[in-house]
Amino acid sequence: MSNVSIRNLCVSLGGNRIIENLDLDVIESEFLVLLGPSGCGKSTLLHSIAGLIDVADGSIAIGGEDMTWADPADRRIGMVFQSYALYPTMSVEGNMSFGLRIGGTPKAEIERRVKRAAEILHLEPLLKRKPSQLSGGQRQRVAIGRALVREADVLLFDEPLSNLDAKLRAELRRELKLLHRKLRSTMIYVTHDQVEAMTLATRIVVMQGGKIQQIGTPESVYSKPDNLFVAGFLGAPGMNFLNGTLACDRSMVRFAAGQVDLDVSNYAFKHEPRHDMTVVLGIRPEQIQIGDQGNLTGVVSLVEPMGNHEIVWIDYCGHSLAAIVQEMREFKADDRVRFSVDAAKISIFDQFDEARL
Amino acid sequence: MRAKLRLLRLLRLLRLLRLLRRKSMPYAALLPMALIVLVGYLGTVLWSLKVSMSSSRTFPAHDFVGLTQYARLFGNERWLQSLENLALYGVLFIVACLVIGFLLAVFIDQKVAGEGVLRTVFLYPYAMSFVATGLVWQWLLNPGNGIQQAVRLWGYADFEFDWIVDQDKVMYTIVIATVWQASGLVMAILLAGLRGIDEEIWKAARIDGIPTWRVYLSIVLPMLGPSVGTAFVLLFTAVVKLFDSVVAMTQGGPGIASEVPAKFIMDHLFGRANIALASAGSIMLLLTVTILVAPFMYARSRAAHRKASQ
Amino acid sequence: MNATVTRARRNTRLDPARIGIYAFLVSAAAFFLLPLYIMLVTSVKPMDEIRLGNIFALPLSFTMEPWQTAWSSACTGVDCEGIRGGFWNSLAIVAPSTVLSILIGALNGYALSFWRARGAGLLFGILMMGAFIPVQVMIYPLVQILAALHLFSSLPGIILIHVIFGMPVMTLLFRNYYASIPEELFKAARIDGGGFFRIFLQLMLPMSTPIIIVAAIMQVTGIWNDYILGLVFAGRENLPMTVQLNNVINTTTGVRLYNVNMAATILTSLVPLSIYLVSGRWFVRGIAAGAVKG
C-alpha cells in the first residue's frame, strides 16, 4: 500500500505534448479513477506511472520513493491491460507465475501467491487452461491475478472492462469493488465509461486535453462540476444547458435568456455574480420536477420510457430540456406540463472561461 | 385459348432454361480448374506411378514389373548419394534459414533507423532466380578467382576456401548460397508475425520484469508458431525442389558429390533415358513430401477449424 | 533496491546493446550485399584485370563492353547471339502466362467463395495439395500430354504449363481475398439481378486491384525466374532468359569471360529486381498471402 505523487509531469509522444505540467496525489488505499474522453491523456498518464512511457519532465514517486526512471518491474506495481495481454502459449498458472519465476522468487512462495490469487479470483479450476480456452471475463480475471501475485503496492488498470459485454462488465465491476475492499491496495483505474467511474471510485479525476479538469468524489464531480466540460461529460442524458445573462438586483439574482426568467438567488455562488454577466446555466435532468405546483410551463415533445424511469423532453421557451421522471406517469407528446427547478442544485458557469461561478 | 396455353408452356420452358443456365454458370467457370486438377495434377501423379512400375526406358512400355524399379533405385549409388546430400542439405538449409531469419527479424524489430533499407537488402536475393544467384556464388567460391584468391592477395598466402571443388564440402557451398537467398524470406514472414503481436503483451512483460531476450524466447517465439510453420513449409518445398542452384553452381559435381534427387530424376528422364527409374524417384520424392508436410497441414486445418468454431 | 534503479535509463539511444544491434545488422547487410557488389564490379572490369586482380577490388579501368557482349554477342555453344533473345522470349512467356493465370485464379477464387458449386471444395483441396507435389512427378506425363496436343516445345505449351503450376497459389490468393469481402455485398448484387459473370466482371474484379497487383508481382517474378519448366517445355526457339544465362555461363567451349557472365547475370535479374525494388511492401504481401496455405 503506497501513495503515488506526481509533480510537474510532462509527457511527449512522437513530438506532441500529451501531458503538460500535471500534478496529482493519489492517496494510499484509495480507488482513483482517471476519467475522460479518448485522447485526453488518461492512458498516457497511467502508462507513465507504470514506467512504460518515458516522461519528458517532472517526477513520479511511489510510496515516497522517486520512481521517475525506475524500471517498470521495480516500481512495485501491477497492471491490468485492456486486451488482457495474457501470454497465449502459457497456462493460467504459467501466466501468473512467469514474472515471479524470472525474478527468482522461491518456489514455495510462488505457489502460495498463485494459490491465494486464484482463490480470491475463483480461478482454481482454470489453472491448467490456456488463455484461448477461457471466456472474456475469465481472461480478465487471470490478468488481474497476474497483477495480484506481484503483491504490488499499487494496481493499475487500463480500461480493463471495455472489451467485455455489458452484463459481464457489470459483474466484474462489482468484483473489482469487492477486491478493493478486501485488499485495500492503492488502485488507479483508467476508463471512459462514467458508470464505471461513478460506481468504483473513491475519487474521480476528470481529464481533458492532457489537463486535470476536476478531482473529487463521484458525488461532488457529478453534482458540483468545476467547469462546463466536466458538467457536459458526466451524466446521461447530459446536463441541460441554457445560455443567458445574470441580472443582479439588490438581494435578488435572476437568470434571463429570451423569455426564460429564473430566480437563482438560492444558488451558492463561489464568486460574487456581476450584473449582465453572460453565463451558462446547467440543470441535471433529475432536478427538473414535473408537477402541478411547478412555477414554469412547457410542452412535452418526446417521451423515452426506460423501464424503471422515463425521460421526458420538454419544450420550454424554445429550449429543449430533458427531465428524468422516476414514477412512471402517463405523459404524452404535446401535453402541457408544469415543472420547477431547485436553484440550489443547479450549476452556473461563466460563459467565457467556462468555470463554475 | 390453346395458343395462350402453348405460349405459357413456352415461357415456362424458357424460364427453366434460364434457371439451368444460372445454376450451371459456376460449374462452367470452374471447368478449367477441374480439368487441371484432374488431368494436370491427379492424372499426372497416377501416370508417373504407373510408369514407375513399368520397364520403360526411352519409350513408355505398358507392362507391369511391380516394384522392380524401386529396388533398382535403391541399389543405385547415385540415387543414394542424392538422398544423403538432400537430407544433409535440407537440415542445414532449413535450420540456418530459420535461425538467421529469426535473428534478422528480431534485430530489425528493435525500432532501428533505416528499417526499410535493411529489409530491402535482406530480401532482395529472394527476388532473383536461383540460377542467377547460383552463378554468382559459383564465381565467388571459385578458388582460382574468388574469395580464396582475394584473401591470398591480401597477404594470407595459406588461406584455403575451396569447398566448391571439395567432394566432402561442396554441399555446404550450396547451403551457403541458398541460405543467403532465402533467409530474407523467413525474416519477412517472421517480422510480419512480430508486428502482429499485441503491444500490450510487451508492456505486461516489462511490468513482470522479464528480460527482452527471455520475452522473445519464452513468449514471442511460441506465439510465432504459425509463422514459423509457414516458413518451414516454404523452405521445405524449396529443399525438395532443389535443382536450379545445383545446376548453376556445380552441375552435380565434383563427381557426384552434389547430386540431388531432382537432378537425378531430370537426368534420367532426358539425358539417360530411363523414364521408369526417374518416375520411381519422383514418386519417392512425393512420398517424402507427403510424410513430412501432411501432419503439418492437418494440424493447420484443425487449428483453423477450432478457430472457426469458437 | 531503488537507489540503483533510479535514473537508470534516460538515454536509450546509444548504450552498448544498441551498438551491438547496429553492428549485427550492418554486418548482415554487408554479407547480403556482397554478391551484388561483386557482380557489379566484375561486370565492368576488363578480363586481364579479373585474371590478375582481387574480386573485391574496384575496377581500375571501367568498361561497358561486357554488358554489350552479354546482351548481343555472348556464345552458347556455337550460337553467338547474346542473351537478348532470351529476354524477348521471357517477355513473350511471362506476359500471357501472368494475365491468364491471374484471370483463371480470380475466376476460381470468385466461384469458390461466392457460388457454392458442388464438389468445388474437394477440387480446391486437391489443388492445394497439388502445390506441394514436386514438379518432377508431373514433368514426364505433362511432356506426353503436351506432345499429344502438339503443344510441346511451343510458346502456347510453356504458357499452359505456367498456368497449371501457378493455379494453386493464384486460386488461393483470390479465394482468401474474396473471403474477406462481406457476403452481403454479393447478396445485394444478386438481388439487383446480377448474374455470375456480371457480378464477377463489374463488381468483384474492379474491387480486386490490390490482390491483382500482388498476384501480378508474384507471377511475373516467379515465371521470370523459372528455370526447369522453361528448360523442358519451351523448346529451342523459346528458351527463357534464365536457361540462356545458364547456357552462356556453363558453356564448355572457349575461355570463361567472367565479366560477361556477371553482366549477363545482372541483365537476367534486372526485371525481377526492379519489380522488387519498386513494389517493396507489395512483394512482401505476396509472400505472406501466398504462404498462408491451407
Side-chain angles (χ1 to χ4, degrees):
Chain A
M1 273 127 278
S2 285
N3 63 332
V4 176
S5 112
I6 295 161
R7 289 285 163 271
N8 198 30
L9 188 78
C10 299
V11 180
S12 299
L13 283 182
N16 299 323
R17 261 292 140 91
I18 306 292
I19 292 175
E20 185 101 55
N21 293 327
L22 182 140
D23 291 303
L24 176 65
D25 278 298
V26 185
I27 304 164
E28 206 175 299
S29 294
E30 81 170 319
F31 198 126
L32 187 83
V33 173
L34 303 177
L35 176 69
S38 54
C40 73
K42 58 190 191 298
S43 268
T44 308
L45 176 59
L46 191 78
H47 286 222
S48 309
I49 296 172
L52 295 169
I53 296 177
D54 284 348
V55 308
D57 203 0
S59 70
I60 298 167
I62 299 173
E65 270 171 62
D66 182 11
M67 292 284 189
T68 316
W69 297 104
D71 203 73
D74 300 327
R75 294 188 180 210
R76 300 200 298 274
I77 53 162
M79 187 156 173
V80 179
F81 294 89
Q82 180 175 7
S83 67
Y84 323 135
L86 298 178
Y87 309 135
T89 52
M90 296 181 192
S91 66
V92 168
E93 193 175 12
N95 263 282
M96 292 202 279
S97 63
F98 191 51
L100 299 177
R101 276 185 282 139
I102 296 281
T105 311
K107 217 165 170 207
E109 174 67 9
I110 295 178
E111 229 163 76
R112 184 190 70 76
R113 291 197 197 179
V114 170
K115 190 160 170 277
R116 174 167 172 267
E119 241 167 61
I120 294 175
L121 296 162
H122 315 294
L123 289 171
E124 292 112 322
L126 308 175
L127 282 177
K128 296 289 169 220
R129 297 230 195 135
K130 289 274 173 66
S132 57
Q133 298 164 306
L134 301 177
S135 69
Q138 290 169 334
R139 284 180 209 188
Q140 195 49 287
R141 293 218 301 271
V142 176
I144 295 169
R146 186 172 61 184
L148 285 190
V149 292
R150 299 181 57 73
E151 304 204 330
D153 300 335
V154 182
L155 288 176
L156 309 176
F157 296 86
D158 189 5
E159 309 215 17
L161 306 185
S162 56
N163 280 356
L164 301 172
D165 63 48
K167 198 163 166 244
L168 258 176
R169 209 173 330 169
E171 208 176 295
L172 264 142
R173 211 169 60 207
R174 286 195 303 275
E175 280 189 35
L176 272 175
K177 194 157 186 168
L178 290 172
L179 188 71
H180 181 246
R181 267 182 51 188
K182 192 173 205 161
L183 298 174
R184 293 272 112 201
S185 53
T186 313
M187 294 187 176
I188 307 178
Y189 186 105
V190 162
T191 183
H192 62 264
D193 180 326
Q194 44 172 311
V195 179
E196 270 172 41
M198 297 296 284
T199 49
L200 286 171
T202 44
R203 284 197 306 160
I204 293 178
V205 177
V206 184
M207 290 184 69
Q208 159 73 349
K211 291 194 175 65
I212 292 177
Q213 303 292 326
Q214 186 171 359
I215 307 179
T217 60
E219 204 279 318
S220 73
V221 171
Y222 182 78
S223 56
K224 288 196 166 52
D226 271 353
N227 58 39
L228 216 47
F229 171 78
V230 177
F233 188 73
L234 287 168
M239 195 179 246
N240 299 299
F241 290 122
L242 300 172
N243 292 316
T245 51
L246 288 183
C248 302
D249 178 16
R250 284 185 304 270
S251 60
M252 280 272 276
V253 184
R254 305 189 70 81
F255 169 85
Q259 290 158 300
V260 179
D261 185 33
L262 285 174
D263 182 358
V264 292
S265 308
N266 285 342
Y267 180 75
F269 282 101
K270 286 206 288 188
H271 308 286
E272 192 63 28
R274 282 175 290 110
H275 183 66
D276 252 2
M277 199 175 185
T278 53
V279 295
V280 179
L281 184 84
I283 311 162
R284 290 268 175 226
E286 61 273 24
Q287 277 143 14
I288 294 180
Q289 306 287 335
I290 301 181
D292 293 337
Q293 62 276 51
N295 53 349
L296 307 165
T297 43
V299 178
V300 174
S301 61
L302 186 73
V303 181
E304 293 178 288
M306 295 293 191
N308 55 357
H309 68 276
E310 58 189 18
I311 299 166
V312 181
W313 291 85
I314 303 167
D315 265 340
Y316 171 61
C317 301
H319 300 276
S320 185
L321 303 178
I324 289 180
V325 180
Q326 288 305 343
E327 64 278 30
M328 302 294 281
R329 285 201 321 219
E330 291 283 317
F331 289 107
K332 286 195 302 295
D334 297 331
D335 280 356
R336 287 190 77 80
V337 286
R338 299 183 70 81
F339 62 96
S340 61
V341 172
D342 183 353
K345 288 178 179 168
I346 61 173
S347 300
I348 299 176
F349 306 97
D350 187 326
Q351 204 176 51
F352 292 102
D353 64 8
E354 301 193 342
R356 186 183 186 85
L357 282 174
Chain B
M1 188 64 201
R2 175 155 289 191
K4 201 178 165 193
L5 206 74
R6 196 173 295 163
L7 191 73
L8 251 155
R9 202 178 286 163
L10 194 73
L11 271 175
R12 197 189 294 159
L13 193 74
L14 262 172
R15 208 181 301 150
L16 199 75
L17 274 174
R18 264 198 1 232
L19 184 81
L20 206 69
R21 216 190 86 191
R22 219 183 56 213
K23 288 270 178 201
S24 63
M25 263 323 189
Y27 293 95
L30 285 172
L31 206 60
M33 174 166 128
L35 267 175
I36 287 182
V37 166
L38 294 177
V39 179
Y41 286 93
L42 274 184
T44 54
V45 170
L46 291 175
W47 191 335
S48 276
L49 189 65
K50 178 174 172 288
V51 173
S52 78
M53 295 184 180
S54 73
S55 63
S56 314
R57 290 193 66 88
T58 315
F59 298 103
H62 298 284
D63 53 354
F64 179 81
V65 297
L67 297 176
T68 319
Q69 300 290 358
Y70 290 87
R72 198 171 291 163
L73 189 66
F74 282 94
N76 185 317
E77 173 94 21
R78 203 183 175 94
W79 172 256
L80 294 175
Q81 176 78 45
S82 302
L83 280 187
E84 196 183 305
N85 285 345
L86 192 69
L88 173 74
Y89 169 83
V91 171
L92 289 178
F93 171 76
I94 290 177
V95 169
C97 277
L98 287 177
V99 170
I100 294 174
F102 179 67
L103 284 178
L104 289 176
V106 166
F107 277 82
I108 282 193
D109 196 35
Q110 304 307 307
K111 297 186 175 71
V112 293
E115 183 195 312
V117 176
L118 287 168
R119 286 207 323 211
T120 307
V121 167
F122 295 146
L123 191 57
Y124 88 88
Y126 191 71
M128 295 166 68
S129 78
F130 279 96
V131 172
T133 59
L135 293 170
V136 179
W137 279 97
Q138 180 205 55
W139 167 230
L140 267 170
L141 298 169
N142 171 349
N145 300 86
I147 295 172
Q148 172 175 307
Q149 177 67 6
V151 176
R152 286 187 179 178
L153 286 174
W154 280 331
Y156 304 94
D158 302 332
F159 180 77
E160 278 205 14
F161 188 47
D162 57 354
W163 292 5
I164 201 163
V165 293
D166 183 333
Q167 295 220 354
D168 297 329
K169 299 200 175 109
V170 62
M171 281 318 288
Y172 300 126
T173 62
I174 295 171
V175 172
I176 293 173
T178 48
V179 165
W180 170 79
Q181 179 151 18
S183 46
L185 167 77
V186 178
M187 175 218 65
I189 292 170
L190 293 188
L191 192 59
L194 281 178
R195 293 286 151 87
I197 287 177
D198 183 4
E199 198 61 31
E200 291 195 336
I201 294 259
W202 277 101
K203 293 180 174 173
R206 278 191 69 188
I207 298 222
D208 268 351
I210 299 157
T212 311
W213 66 269
R214 191 70 201 263
V215 180
Y216 274 114
L217 213 64
S218 300
I219 297 170
V220 170
L221 196 55
M223 283 176 80
L224 287 180
S227 301
V228 174
T230 300
F232 176 82
V233 168
L234 284 178
L235 294 175
F236 181 75
T237 45
V239 167
V240 177
K241 274 190 202 142
L242 178 67
F243 175 75
D244 304 8
S245 309
V246 172
V247 168
M249 283 178 74
T250 67
Q251 293 172 307
I256 56 165
S258 59
E259 282 291 344
V260 286
K263 186 164 173 299
F264 176 95
I265 295 164
M266 294 302 286
D267 287 350
H268 283 80
L269 273 184
F270 297 104
R272 294 163 169 262
N274 197 338
I275 296 167
L277 192 67
S279 298
S282 70
I283 294 292
M284 288 316 298
L285 222 49
L286 179 61
L287 214 61
T288 319
V289 174
T290 314
I291 288 167
L292 275 159
V293 173
F296 173 79
M297 298 302 287
Y298 177 70
R300 246 313 213 347
S301 75
R302 273 205 34 185
H305 259 278
R306 264 212 310 277
K307 212 173 237 172
S309 64
Q310 248 174 30
Chain C
M1 156 177 181
N2 295 293
T4 49
V5 294
T6 312
R7 305 251 156 216
R9 29 178 297 281
R10 175 134 213 182
N11 288 317
T12 46
R13 273 265 161 259
L14 269 181
D15 53 19
R18 286 214 75 75
I19 293 172
I21 288 170
Y22 280 107
F24 174 85
L25 286 173
V26 168
S27 38
F31 170 70
F32 275 85
L33 285 171
L34 181 78
L36 188 65
Y37 167 78
I38 301 283
M39 272 199 282
L40 282 169
V41 172
T42 309
S43 73
V44 293
K45 283 179 188 170
M47 259 323 278
D48 27 325
E49 202 182 314
I50 294 174
R51 233 173 264 125
L52 299 172
N54 180 326
I55 51 162
F56 295 108
L58 286 166
L60 296 169
S61 49
F62 177 88
T63 170
M64 280 306 277
E65 211 188 296
W67 286 69
Q68 274 170 9
T69 313
W71 179 248
S72 55
S73 64
C75 298
T76 59
V78 284
D79 303 332
C80 290
E81 298 263 303
I83 55 165
R84 64 183 160 183
F87 177 82
W88 298 114
N89 288 344
S90 278
L91 221 53
I93 294 170
V94 166
S97 307
T98 302
V99 172
L100 263 179
S101 57
I102 288 180
L103 217 57
I104 296 182
L107 193 61
N108 289 346
Y110 164 71
L112 285 167
S113 302
F114 295 114
W115 301 81
R116 318 217 173 287
R118 246 204 261 167
L122 182 67
L123 278 181
F124 179 68
I126 300 174
L127 188 65
M128 285 304 101
M129 288 190 273
F132 292 103
I133 300 176
V135 284
Q136 283 78 10
V137 185
M138 297 160 64
I139 279 184
Y140 173 72
L142 283 175
V143 168
Q144 295 292 312
I145 292 170
L146 288 200
L149 297 170
H150 301 289
L151 287 173
F152 184 59
S153 282
S154 74
L155 194 58
I158 179 71
I159 291 168
L160 176 61
I161 289 293
H162 281 304
V163 169
I164 292 176
F165 282 104
M167 187 176 268
V169 173
M170 289 297 111
T171 303
L172 178 74
L173 216 56
F174 280 94
R175 194 201 72 137
N176 287 354
Y177 184 75
Y178 290 136
S180 70
I181 289 178
E183 179 95 28
E184 280 87 353
L185 196 68
F186 171 72
K187 285 182 177 157
R190 286 294 300 276
I191 287 169
D192 283 344
F196 182 87
F197 279 103
R198 186 179 284 268
I199 294 177
F200 177 60
L201 294 172
Q202 296 187 354
L203 180 69
M204 294 302 169
L205 222 43
M207 283 178 69
S208 314
T209 322
I211 204 69
I212 289 175
I213 294 174
V214 168
I217 291 170
M218 285 182 79
Q219 284 300 85
V220 171
T221 51
I223 297 172
W224 190 279
N225 288 337
D226 157 67
Y227 172 75
I228 190 169
L229 298 176
L231 180 71
V232 174
F233 292 96
R236 294 183 64 83
E237 300 304 308
N238 307 300
L239 286 184
M241 211 172 180
T242 47
V243 178
Q244 291 217 346
L245 171 74
N246 191 53
N247 290 349
V248 163
I249 293 184
N250 285 324
T251 189
T252 41
T253 50
V255 221
R256 285 202 152 195
L257 300 171
Y258 294 111
N259 49 4
V260 173
N261 291 352
M262 287 302 119
T265 309
I266 299 173
L267 283 169
T268 308
S269 309
L270 227 43
V271 168
L273 270 185
S274 358
I275 289 175
Y276 168 62
L277 288 177
V278 171
S279 63
R281 277 171 191 266
W282 293 91
F283 186 87
V284 178
R285 242 188 95 178
I287 292 176
V292 193
K293 297 202 164 117

